[in-house]
Amino acid sequence: MADDKDPDMNDWIARTGGHLEDGTDVVFDTSEPARRALEGPVMTPLVHLGILDVVGDGAERFLQGQTSAQLSLVDGEFAPLGCFCTPKGRVLANVQVWRVAPGHYRLLTHHELVASLSEHLAKFAPFYRVELTPRDDLALIGLFGHEAPAVAEALLDVTPPPPWRQVDRGDHQVVGQPGPVPRMLLCLPTADAEAVWGQLAAQVTPVDSATWRLHDIQAGLVWLDASQRDSYLPQMINWEALGGISFKKGCYTGQEVVARAHFRGQVKKRLMRAQLEGGHRPEPGSAILDAADKRLGEVLSAELDAYGQAEILAVMSTREPNGALSVAGQQLKLLKLPYPLERLDPEQLAEKR
């Protein structure tokens, strides 16, 4: 899909030594970026993600009726996952939501889904007097690594938030993300991005954006793109195991199907993490095959790890496979997810202050 971001908005990336490949892959000259992320603090622009703002006095009620998130919990500190579904319960966009101010909510999703999500929600927005604004004027920077919290505190003057929490510093937000090392997403006006990057550069190494996506994979967190829209129930991407579905809230679009699938145990496919024996990174949509070449699922995301092997997230059948599995001619080894495949209520997650 063509990149719909304003190229002028990303000029700051070129001035910091990065360049774009395929529209949203940011690449730096740093050698062994995946290994660098295991050794010290690193950072990267997150051009593959985008922001949709929902603003108005009725914004909370509006979103409460559209998303799986419990909006009363989104209080300027707790920043949970959520999703928007069709009436048949299929995910149109999976998001992280945080509150910028009363009546002002910010939705993080794959950049390819910002426009379609805005168009979908625009059908209902006038009834609640809310405005929907794709924020191409905001920059997203990933700051991660074992020393990243100390760097955020020392150089950005913020208390580093844990996963699913936010802290604000003026019109900048820092939002915690899960992963094998501490991770934070910085959301700030593009006009400030170069200055903040320069502030961090004394102690933080720039790396390719693929390294951030690798850590998403290792966290068992997938961001659906336009090709995967309207294809999966939320449980198929483990959204209830990540606290992204409230089963205690009232109705929202697709809620009946999502709840029925949960309480009747009707989810036959799940997001699984795996490593491939080889250095070829498969394309999203590549088939997972068993020993009889029967398709058991498909790749959603894939990146190369610090050892040059491909790690993937794939939606696969939960049935016991028939012999060895493979993707694009490479043997597949299932890896353990970093969370249990069981329901985690956002109400419970919000209490862990």
Side-chain angles (χ1 to χ4, degrees):
M1 180 174 179
D3 179 25
D4 57 2
K5 289 180 177 286
D6 183 345
D8 293 337
M9 295 296 180
N10 294 322
D11 284 349
W12 70 273
I13 297 175
R15 291 194 294 269
T16 60
H19 63 275
L20 289 174
E21 294 184 354
D22 299 325
T24 58
D25 286 340
V26 183
V27 178
F28 290 89
D29 291 334
T30 305
S31 62
E32 299 184 303
R35 190 179 298 276
R36 291 290 187 96
L38 300 176
E39 297 172 347
V42 296
M43 60 183 174
T44 189
L46 304 177
V47 184
H48 64 289
L49 298 175
I51 294 288
L52 177 66
D53 274 7
V54 182
V55 182
D57 291 341
E60 180 178 336
R61 288 189 300 111
F62 170 66
L63 290 172
Q64 180 73 359
Q66 294 296 328
T67 178
S68 64
Q70 177 63 271
L71 263 292
S72 63
L73 301 174
V74 184
D75 57 1
E77 179 184 349
F78 184 50
L81 296 175
C83 61
F84 295 85
C85 298
T86 68
K88 295 183 178 180
R90 301 284 166 161
V91 177
L92 293 173
N94 56 330
V95 303
Q96 185 176 13
V97 54
W98 63 87
R99 196 182 79 175
V100 179
H104 184 174
Y105 295 88
R106 188 153 282 171
L107 306 177
L108 173 78
T109 190
H110 196 284
H111 87 98
E112 291 182 355
L113 296 181
V114 172
S116 61
L117 179 58
S118 181
E119 291 170 7
H120 169 72
L121 294 177
K123 295 179 288 187
F124 314 103
F127 300 106
Y128 295 86
R129 297 182 181 179
V130 300
E131 293 186 3
L132 306 168
T133 307
R135 295 299 303 269
D136 291 333
D137 59 332
L138 294 176
L140 300 170
I141 298 174
L143 173 63
F144 54 124
H146 291 294
E147 300 301 321
V151 167
E153 195 161 11
L155 299 184
L156 300 180
D157 193 26
V158 297
T159 301
W164 318 134
R165 295 291 189 273
Q166 72 177 88
V167 294
D168 298 346
R169 183 170 171 263
D171 57 357
H172 299 185
Q173 293 97 45
V174 183
V175 186
Q177 305 287 299
V181 298
R183 294 201 302 161
M184 288 160 281
L185 180 148
L186 315 182
C187 179
L188 64 161
T190 301
D192 298 344
E194 190 172 351
V196 170
W197 185 275
Q199 198 175 349
L200 294 169
Q203 297 187 30
V204 184
T205 304
V207 295
D208 301 348
S209 58
T211 309
W212 178 273
R213 294 194 297 270
L214 172 65
H215 284 230
D216 273 343
I217 290 171
Q218 293 173 345
L221 174 66
V222 68
W223 294 106
L224 299 179
D225 63 23
S227 70
Q228 297 153 350
R229 180 178 183 268
D230 195 11
S231 299
Y232 306 104
L233 292 171
Q235 291 96 326
M236 292 180 183
I237 58 171
N238 298 349
W239 225 234
E240 90 285 23
L242 288 162
I245 305 174
S246 173
F247 292 96
K248 299 180 179 181
K249 64 178 286 183
C251 293
Y252 59 90
T253 304
Q255 181 262 343
E256 290 185 9
V257 176
V258 173
R260 185 165 59 246
H262 171 72
F263 290 111
R264 295 185 180 179
Q266 295 175 336
V267 181
K268 305 302 181 185
K269 290 185 176 182
R270 279 288 189 177
L271 187 73
M272 300 186 188
R273 180 180 164 227
Q275 185 178 61
L276 304 183
E277 293 183 3
H280 170 68
R281 186 182 69 175
E283 292 294 323
S286 298
I288 311 293
L289 302 176
D290 67 8
D293 283 342
K294 182 178 179 180
R295 185 185 181 108
L296 298 184
E298 58 277 345
V299 173
L300 294 191
S301 58
E303 297 294 346
L304 298 183
D305 64 17
Y307 305 98
Q309 291 189 297
E311 293 193 27
I312 68 170
L313 290 176
V315 171
M316 295 174 53
S317 169
T318 57
R319 292 178 299 178
E320 188 70 25
N322 175 24
L325 302 177
S326 65
V327 178
Q330 299 177 100
Q331 293 290 98
L332 179 152
K333 174 187 176 183
L334 289 174
L335 300 176
K336 186 177 180 180
L337 286 164
Y339 49 78
L341 278 179
E342 58 188 39
R343 168 178 159 182
L344 173 60
D345 290 327
E347 292 83 0
Q348 176 187 352
L349 194 58
E351 292 175 358
K352 297 178 180 178
R353 302 288 182 176

